[in-house]
Structure formats: structure tokens, C-alpha cells
């Protein structure tokens, strides 16, 4: 835990510089060229906890590590090789049918399904309902986090809500847990809030993947079902209307969305 807190600022800065030098950047909603390096910060944080687990748990197993790494890698490939068109799962499927070409977005979706199935296959046997809920959370949460990643800090605010919820479910020492969360969120809020870096697909999806792994091992079926309903609602809604448009129309959501984002 101390290693993570001591090295996280350096990793955040070095990854930002490295992504800039390698031109690993995309234009944000304001047409500013921003490196998508925050996913490295999230994955690095998990790697440190995996290497020095604060307590023995399934979320720090080798299988969990492979699943989370695979989701990060699929997101990075989409960031590196993907295009702004088509959008949405329906759009990628329609594009593939029309042009006989697999997009990186479709590759990411198919890859997520495959690694989720492999992860569940490698775990201890669960009931059919538990497996079904786990599968949809492992594939749905990374996608939903990616859907929210269209404005600075939006994913972080959704993640903060999940973190507060999980705080009551995890047997972590409260002080260490809070300090670690504050360190990760502070660094990310400062950098993304001032548009220095962004999560990108790799950061948003790996955030969802980590939450999904925690949920399937540390929450009851009823809670998993409730979160799955939220996930499905967001996916269906995003295929029909713009999530940003919904947020812009609701004054409370709009204020929350702009909280912490630099005006410059």
C-alpha cells in the first residue's frame, strides 16, 4: 500500500509523458489532443495490490489479473487503432455486416465476452444464476464505464459512487482503503479535470472490469441483480439517445457533471 501511494504520482507523470512522446492521444470533445494514459495509472494500481495483496482474496488471484489485463489490452487496442465511426454496438455490427470488416470496437466486444467466459470457467463452480449474473457484469460494466467516458471526470464520478457502495462490502482496513482511494482519485481528478490526460477506452473499461470482479466475489445476488439492471438500462438507453444529452437537460446532473472540470 505504501509502495502504491509513494509511486503513483510518478507513474501518472511518466505515463503521460510517454504517451505524449509516442503520440498516443486522441481529440476530446473540445478537439484538444489529449493522451489517454490514465488507464496505465489504474492498471498499475491494481498490479501493485496484486503483487502485495493487503489480504488474501479472489480479486487478487492470477485469473483475475489475466482478466483485468485482457480488458485493459482490448481497450488500448481500440484506443490505438479504432476510429470515431461507427458508434455503439449496433453501429459496429451494422458496419461489419455491410463492409465485411471487423472493427476494433467489435473486436473489443467479442474479446470481452471470450475472456469473461474463460475467467468464469477458471473459477470455482457457481450456480447457474450466479454464473449468469457474473457474466453480464463482467461484460457489461466495462462497456457502461466506456459509455460514460465522453466528458472529463464523468467515469470517476460513477466510479466514486461504486467505491462508496463497496466500502461497506470489503474487509479492507478503513484508513488504508480511504487513503489509497483518495490518492488515486485526487491524481486522476487533477489531471483529467484540467484535460492534461484522459482515461480513454483502456482506462474506462479496466475500471469497469475491476468493479465487476469485486462485485461478483463480494456482493449478494440481490445487489448484483440491481446493478445489472442499471447496466442494462444504460446500455439500452445509449443505443437510442445520447447520455450527454440527457445529462445536459437535467440541471442537477449537469452541475454534477461539471463539478471539478476546469473552465479553461
Amino acid at each position: 500500500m505504501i509502495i502504491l501511494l509513494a509511486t503513483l504520482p510518478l507513474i501518472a507523470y511518466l505515463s503521460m509523458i510517454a504517451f505524449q512522446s509516442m503520440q498516443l492521444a486522441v481529440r476530446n470533445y473540445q478537439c484538444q489532443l489529449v493522451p489517454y494514459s490514465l488507464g496505465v495509472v489504474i492498471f498499475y494500481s491494481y498490479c501493485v495490490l496484486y503483487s502485495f495483496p493487503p489480504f488474501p482474496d479472489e480479486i487478487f488471484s492470477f485469473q483475475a489479473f489475466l482478466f483485468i489485463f485482457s480488458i485493459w489490452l482490448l481497450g488500448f487496442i481500440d484506443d490505438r487503432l479504432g476510429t470515431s465511426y461507427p458508434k455503439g454496438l449496433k453501429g459496429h455490427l451494422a458496419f461489419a455486416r455491410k463492409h465485411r470488416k471487423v472493427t476494433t470496437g467489435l473486436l473489443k466486444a467479442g474479446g470481452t465476452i471470450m475472456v469473461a467466459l474463460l475467467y468464469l470457467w477458471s473459477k470455482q463452480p457457481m450456480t447457474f444464476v450466479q454464473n449468469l449474473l457474473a457474466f453480464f457484469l463482467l461484460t457489461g460494466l466495462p462497456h457502461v464505464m466506456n459509455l460514460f467516458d465522453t466528458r472529463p471526470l464523468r467515469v470517476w464520478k460513477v466510479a466514486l459512487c461504486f467505491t462508496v457502495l463497496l466500502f461497506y462490502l470489503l474487509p479492507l482496513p478503513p484508513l488504508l482503503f480511504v487513503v489509497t482511494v483518495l490518492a488515486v482519485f485526487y491524481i486522476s481528478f487533477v489531471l483529467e479535470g484540467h484535460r492534461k490526460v484522459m482515461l480513454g477506452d483502456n482506462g474506462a473499461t479496466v475500471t469497469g472490469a475491476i468493479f465487476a470482479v469485486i462485485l461478483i466475489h463480494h456482493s449478494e445476488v440481490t445487489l448484483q441483480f440491481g446493478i445489472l439492471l442499471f447496466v442494462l438500462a444504460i446500455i439500452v438507453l445509449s443505443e437510442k439517445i445520447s447520455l450527454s444529452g440527457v445529462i445536459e437537460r437535467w440541471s442537477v446532473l449537469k452541475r454534477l457533471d461539471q463539478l471539478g472540470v476546469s473552465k479553461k
Side-chain angles (χ1 to χ4, degrees), residues 244-264:
S244 293
V246 173
I247 292 172
E248 287 291 324
R249 286 195 293 271
W250 290 74
S251 59
V252 174
L253 292 179
K254 185 176 180 180
R255 290 194 190 98
L256 289 173
D257 195 44
Q258 294 174 344
L259 186 66
V261 180
S262 172
K263 303 299 181 182
K264 296 180 181 179

Side-chain angles (χ1 to χ4, degrees), residues 50-82:
Y50 169 76
S51 301
F52 307 97
F55 59 98
D57 196 273
E58 287 286 343
I59 62 177
F60 301 122
S61 67
F62 181 65
Q63 296 94 325
F65 174 84
L66 285 180
F67 171 74
I68 289 169
F69 170 71
S70 299
I71 296 298
W72 175 82
L73 183 61
L74 288 167
F76 179 78
I77 292 171
D78 197 23
D79 280 326
R80 185 72 182 92
L81 304 175

Side-chain angles (χ1 to χ4, degrees), residues 26-254:
V26 294
R27 297 199 178 276
N28 64 7
Y29 70 108
Q30 292 181 321
C31 293
Q32 300 168 328
L33 203 60
V34 182
Y36 41 84
S37 60
L38 275 181
V40 173
V41 175
I42 304 302
F43 184 62
Y44 170 78
S45 301
Y46 175 78
C47 286
V48 172
L49 295 176
Y50 169 76
S51 301
F52 307 97
F55 59 98
D57 196 273
E58 287 286 343
I59 62 177
F60 301 122
S61 67
F62 181 65
Q63 296 94 325
F65 174 84
L66 285 180
F67 171 74
I68 289 169
F69 170 71
S70 299
I71 296 298
W72 175 82
L73 183 61
L74 288 167
F76 179 78
I77 292 171
D78 197 23
D79 280 326
R80 185 72 182 92
L81 304 175
T83 58
S84 58
Y85 177 85
K87 291 184 179 294
L89 184 58
K90 188 186 298 184
H92 285 285
L93 288 170
F95 185 91
R97 283 196 302 266
K98 182 178 180 180
H99 299 280
R100 306 293 181 187
K101 181 180 179 182
V102 177
T103 63
T104 55
L106 203 56
L107 173 67
K108 181 175 64 178
T112 300
I113 291 172
M114 183 178 70
V115 296
L117 289 172
L118 287 173
Y119 178 61
L120 290 175
W121 174 77
S122 70
K123 304 309 296 173
Q124 294 179 354
M126 298 189 293
T127 66
F128 175 75
V129 172
Q130 288 174 323
N131 273 312
L132 195 63
L133 286 171
F135 172 74
F136 283 118
L137 287 173
L138 290 169
T139 55
L141 265 175
H143 181 54
V144 163
M145 286 297 186
N146 199 26
L147 291 174
F148 277 111
D149 190 33
T150 53
R151 293 291 187 276
L153 302 183
R154 192 173 286 175
V155 169
W156 293 108
K157 290 163 187 173
V158 175
L160 183 58
C161 293
F162 274 108
T163 301
V164 171
L165 177 66
L166 294 176
F167 175 77
Y168 295 100
L169 302 175
L170 290 176
L172 279 171
L175 180 61
L176 292 178
F177 182 69
V178 171
V179 169
T180 303
V181 168
L182 287 178
V184 174
F185 274 80
Y186 175 74
I187 290 170
S188 304
F189 260 74
V190 169
L191 292 174
E192 190 170 43
H194 288 81
R195 303 179 188 87
K196 300 296 184 183
V197 292
M198 65 168 60
L199 278 168
D201 284 3
N202 72 98
T205 53
V206 79
T207 300
I210 291 171
F211 278 121
V213 170
I214 294 172
L215 278 168
I216 66 175
H217 292 297
H218 286 281
S219 64
E220 299 295 333
V221 169
T222 50
L223 178 60
Q224 292 179 27
F225 184 72
I227 292 176
L228 180 58
L229 288 179
F230 167 77
V231 166
L232 293 176
I234 295 298
I235 292 174
V236 172
L237 185 66
S238 67
E239 290 292 336
K240 297 181 180 299
I241 59 176
S242 166
L243 292 178
S244 293
V246 173
I247 292 172
E248 287 291 324
R249 286 195 293 271
W250 290 74
S251 59
V252 174
L253 292 179
K254 185 176 180 180

